């Protein structure tokens, strides 16, 4: 991680993303806790996460738009949009205004897709290909490290001051992120606009995604796992409530424990990828989720849940770093937004359906049975992806250029020309 952080352009981007990721980490779980506290319903709390991922149906169009603009200004605009959409949360008072939380969650889900589409392209502009894994690992280290305190901060702010404090912190984080990224100077080529038909343009990302064997396997395996991952958004409220007999805010403690594994996973993801390749890293990430599901199904004990959550924490950055690095390495810059959005759609679309199903099933089926099904399906997905790990061989023998090699910023490229 130290190597990539020596690059000034990445350091600045990293700083901006720190503030936006902090806002995101505080908000995501806290919105569900807010709904649970107002309604007492696990299903309605889980539906908050459904609202977050439902906009994924618009992902191909978001990717199409992102590819028509330079990455840096598009990312700045998206952060400003994220700040603006949180303002209605100040109007939430009781169950009669519950719809505002769902509307804000849906709008935020849309901005999240746009951020991913722009960020994958921008990282590729400021980081050479051989350091993409390290850059993604650095970002995941921070993102997962935030799980150590951000969920507790969000739950604490909500308990002490109410929802207005969550909105205030989120707005502040996104505004600071936009300001920091504005200071980033990087020369970007004018986006390429082809003469293809509109529908062909929109679906170009899907064709790119399935045209790469390793990327195709990693995405399809992850999609299979996601079909049951989403159940957890409601199931874990039930596990926390019925199994551990804890208040809703205790979920913040579990997520913080998961953050310990996430922090270590982010620090080690690049090294794992050099040993087993990107597809192998995705497979390892999937398999590391299984212990938590088994513990939830078989043991209703906090001390059994804590180590399982740590392992689950390792799995998330391995999964994300493997997918993102493989996407960035194999996708041309002019298709990055559409391909990134296509991957989001193929992964998050089933997740939205899974979350919706979970919100219904948790009221009909014992949560332990649902966790057992989740463990089985994710085990199958992880094993399938691991069997194809040789599609992206290890890169441990690939030499890494000196960290002192500069990234050409606007002035440098002008002089070089």
């Amino acid at each position: 991680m130290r190597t990539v952080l020596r690059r000034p352009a990445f350091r600045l981007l990293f700083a901006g993303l720190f503030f936006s990721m902090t806002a995101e980490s505080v908000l995501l779980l806290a919105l569900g806790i807010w709904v649970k506290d107002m309604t007492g319903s696990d299903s309605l709390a889980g539906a908050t996460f459904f609202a977050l991922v439902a906009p994924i149906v618009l992902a191909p169009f978001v990717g199409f738009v992102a590819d028509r603009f330079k990455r840096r200004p598009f990312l700045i605009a998206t952060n400003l949009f994220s700040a603006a959409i949180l303002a209605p949360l100040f109007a939430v008072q009781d169950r009669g205004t519950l719809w505002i939380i769902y509307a804000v969650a849906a709008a935020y889900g849309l901005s999240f897709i746009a951020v991913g589409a722009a960020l994958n392209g921008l990282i590729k502009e400021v980081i050479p290909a051989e350091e993409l894994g390290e850059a993604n690992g650095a970002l995941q280290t921070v993102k997962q490290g935030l799980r150590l305190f951000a969920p507790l901060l969000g739950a604490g702010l909500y308990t002490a001051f109410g929802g207005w404090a969550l909105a205030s912190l989120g707005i502040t984080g996104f505004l600071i992120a936009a300001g920091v990224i504005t200071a980033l100077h990087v020369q970007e080529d004018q986006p390429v606009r082809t003469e293809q038909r509109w529908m062909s343009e929109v679906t170009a990302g899907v064709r790119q995604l399935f045209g790469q064997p390793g990327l195709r396997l990693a995405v399809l395996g992850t999609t299979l796992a996601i079909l049951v991952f989403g159940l957890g958004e409601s199931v874990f409220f039930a596990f926390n409530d019925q199994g551990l007999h804890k208040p809703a805010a205790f979920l913040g403690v579990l997520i913080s424990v998961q953050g310990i594994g996430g922090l270590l996973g982010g620090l080690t993801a690049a090294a794992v990828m050099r040993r087993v390749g990107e597809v192998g890293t995705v497979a390892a990430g999937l398999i590391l989720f299984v212990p938590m599901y088994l513990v939830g199904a078989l043991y209703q004990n906090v001390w059994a849940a804590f180590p399982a959550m740590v392992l689950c924490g390792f799995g998330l950055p391995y999964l994300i770093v493997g997918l993102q690095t493989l996407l960035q390495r194999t996708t041309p810059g002019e298709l990055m937004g559409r391909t990134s959005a296509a991957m989001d759609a193929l992964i998050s679309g089933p997740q939205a359906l899974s979350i919706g199903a979970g919100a219904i099933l948790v009221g009909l089926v014992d949560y332990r049975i649902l966790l057992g099904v989740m463990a089985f399906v994710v085990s199958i997905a992880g094993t399938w992806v691991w069997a194809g790990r040789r599609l992206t061989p290890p890169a441990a023998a690939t030499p890494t250029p000196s960290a002192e090699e500069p990234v050409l910023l606007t002035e440098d490229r002008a002089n070089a020309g």
Side-chain angles (χ1 to χ4, degrees), residues 32-379:
I33 292 174
W34 194 351
V35 172
K36 168 72 173 178
D37 188 49
M38 282 199 300
T39 66
S41 169
D42 293 329
S43 294
L44 289 177
T48 308
F49 300 98
F50 176 78
L52 279 165
V53 299
I56 201 64
V57 298
L58 300 175
F61 305 100
V62 175
F64 172 71
V65 172
D67 277 340
R68 300 180 77 83
F69 294 92
K70 292 184 177 181
R71 313 299 181 183
R72 186 184 69 93
F74 190 82
L75 186 58
I76 293 168
T78 302
N79 275 284
L80 294 174
F81 173 73
S82 298
I85 61 177
L86 296 180
L89 290 176
F90 291 114
V92 176
Q93 299 294 333
D94 50 34
R95 288 191 66 151
T97 52
L98 185 63
W99 65 271
I100 296 176
I101 297 180
Y102 291 133
V104 168
Y108 180 68
L110 189 63
S111 75
F112 190 79
I113 299 168
V115 166
L119 182 58
N120 279 320
L122 187 57
I123 289 177
K124 196 167 181 176
E125 291 284 346
V126 301
I127 294 295
E130 61 272 7
E131 292 181 15
L132 287 172
E134 190 174 348
N136 290 319
L139 291 173
Q140 282 302 309
T141 297
V142 172
K143 190 167 187 175
Q144 301 306 319
L146 286 169
R147 289 172 176 261
L148 292 173
F149 70 89
L152 291 176
L153 175 61
L157 282 174
Y158 172 72
T159 301
F161 303 107
W164 70 267
L166 298 175
S168 299
L169 183 61
I171 290 170
T172 301
F174 288 121
L175 289 177
I176 293 175
V180 172
I181 295 172
T182 300
L184 174 65
H185 298 290
V186 57
Q187 180 66 46
E188 297 185 67
D189 295 330
Q190 193 64 30
V192 177
R193 301 196 178 191
T194 64
E195 299 300 325
Q196 298 181 33
R197 294 181 179 178
W198 182 79
M199 185 55 68
S200 181
E201 286 266 20
V202 170
T203 58
V206 177
R207 295 195 300 274
Q208 171 66 23
L209 199 64
F210 283 94
Q212 302 290 330
L215 188 57
R216 180 173 63 239
L217 174 63
V219 170
L220 290 177
T222 301
T223 300
L224 175 60
I226 289 292
L227 284 170
V228 295
F229 273 170
L231 299 177
E233 305 296 0
S234 294
V235 169
F236 276 103
F237 276 101
F239 169 67
N240 179 71
D241 184 26
Q242 301 170 32
L244 300 181
H245 306 290
K246 299 293 184 180
F250 188 75
L251 274 175
V253 177
L254 291 177
I255 297 300
S256 294
V257 171
Q258 183 183 6
I260 296 173
L263 177 63
L264 297 173
L267 288 170
T268 57
V272 170
M273 200 154 50
R274 286 193 293 270
R275 290 183 176 275
V276 300
E278 293 128 333
V279 171
T281 304
V282 170
L286 291 171
I287 292 168
L288 285 168
F289 279 88
V290 176
M292 182 61 243
Y293 300 147
L294 290 176
V295 165
L298 302 175
Y299 305 100
Q300 289 71 54
N301 183 284
V302 170
W303 302 110
F306 280 173
M309 287 298 287
V310 172
L311 290 177
C312 183
F314 267 93
L316 190 57
Y318 286 4
L319 175 61
I320 295 174
V321 171
L323 280 173
Q324 296 285 14
T325 305
L326 185 55
L327 171 74
Q328 293 161 356
R329 184 176 62 80
T330 59
T331 304
E334 64 271 16
L335 287 175
M336 187 63 71
R338 281 165 287 178
T339 308
S340 177
M343 185 169 75
D344 282 344
L346 288 171
I347 291 175
S348 298
Q351 183 182 21
L353 296 175
S354 180
I355 292 173
I360 297 171
L361 289 173
V362 75
L364 302 174
V365 181
D366 191 304
Y367 74 89
R368 290 168 294 186
I369 295 176
L370 295 175
L371 284 168
V373 171
M374 292 165 71
F376 176 74
V377 173
V378 175
S379 296

